[in-house]
């Protein structure tokens, strides 16, 4: 079993309600045993150590799951952009831009939206069959995007 298969299966298990309920029950049992162990250092160390180890390992599990979900989402969006008539192929490169470039591009798209609908307008999206007139559309900010060749 590869790490990806293991982490996918483990994320399915840990994401269920029963897993949360079992963890909660474990904490309740631990708390109830406090008087029996006279709340000593070993009693406290058990929960501290176990929760620290579980939290540490879950960080990697969550990151793996997020990476996989993010990659699959990007592939789906890339395919939609590729297959959509009039979409700009340059948008397929956005994940390679830095945060400032993405922020500037997002602001340009936001300004197009404000000009089209007004800053306080209630936006009603057209049906999927409706197309905007070419003369009515503003040029896309991505048309001016220059890709850097990183060789």
């Amino acid at each position: 079993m590869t790490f990806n298969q293991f982490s996918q299966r483990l994320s399915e298990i840990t994401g269920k309600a029963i897993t949360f309920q079992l963890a909660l029950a474990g904490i309740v049992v631990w708390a109830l045993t406090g008087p029996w162990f006279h709340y000593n250092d070993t009693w406290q160390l058990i929960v501290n150590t176990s929760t620290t180890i579980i939290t540490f390992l879950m960080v990697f599990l969550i990151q793996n799951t997020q990476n996989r979900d993010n990659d699959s989402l990007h592939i789906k969006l890339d395919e939609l952009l590729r297959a959509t008539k009039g979409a700009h192929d340059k948008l397929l490169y956005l994940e390679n831009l830095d945060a400032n470039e993405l922020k500037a591009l997002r602001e340009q798209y936001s300004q197009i939206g404000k000009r089209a609908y007004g800053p306080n307008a209630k936006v009603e999206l057209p049906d999927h069959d409706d197309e905007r007139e070419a003369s009515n559309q503003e040029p896309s900010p991505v048309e001016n995007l220059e890709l850097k060749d990183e060789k």
Side-chain angles (χ1 to χ4, degrees):
M1 176 180 279
T2 67
F3 176 72
N4 284 339
Q5 292 169 329
F6 173 75
S7 64
Q8 186 170 0
R9 181 70 184 125
L10 193 56
S11 68
E12 290 169 5
I13 293 169
T14 58
K16 294 185 178 197
I18 187 70
T19 308
F20 173 78
Q21 293 165 348
L22 289 171
L24 184 60
I27 295 296
V28 169
V29 167
W30 170 82
L32 292 174
T33 61
W36 190 51
F37 288 104
H38 305 291
Y39 302 101
N40 66 22
D41 290 342
T42 304
W43 174 80
Q44 292 178 23
L45 187 62
I46 288 171
V47 78
N48 289 341
T49 303
S50 60
T51 56
T52 299
I53 291 170
I54 290 169
T55 302
F56 177 76
L57 294 175
M58 286 301 291
V59 166
F60 297 103
L61 176 70
I62 292 167
Q63 187 61 53
N64 179 273
T65 303
Q66 279 296 127
N67 289 346
R68 196 172 50 253
D69 290 347
N70 192 37
D71 288 346
S72 67
L73 184 61
H74 273 278
I75 292 167
K76 291 172 185 176
L77 290 172
D78 287 349
E79 175 58 16
L80 289 173
L81 286 171
R82 187 197 63 76
T84 302
K85 181 181 176 186
H88 297 279
D89 289 341
K90 289 180 181 179
L91 290 172
L92 298 170
Y93 187 76
L94 291 180
E95 61 268 9
N96 296 310
L97 300 179
D98 68 30
N100 290 332
E101 292 169 320
L102 288 172
K103 187 176 180 181
L105 194 57
R106 179 68 196 125
E107 181 58 32
Q108 290 176 15
Y109 274 108
S110 180
Q111 291 303 319
I112 290 172
K114 286 178 184 176
R115 285 192 298 272
Y117 297 108
N120 299 320
K122 182 178 178 183
V123 177
E124 293 184 28
L125 298 175
D127 292 333
H128 69 280
D129 292 333
D130 293 341
E131 290 188 28
R132 289 180 118 184
E133 293 290 326
S135 62
N136 197 19
Q137 277 188 327
E138 290 195 40
S140 171
V142 84
E143 289 176 356
N144 299 324
L145 181 65
E146 293 184 27
L147 304 179
K148 300 170 190 164
D149 190 11
E150 298 179 14
K151 288 185 180 178

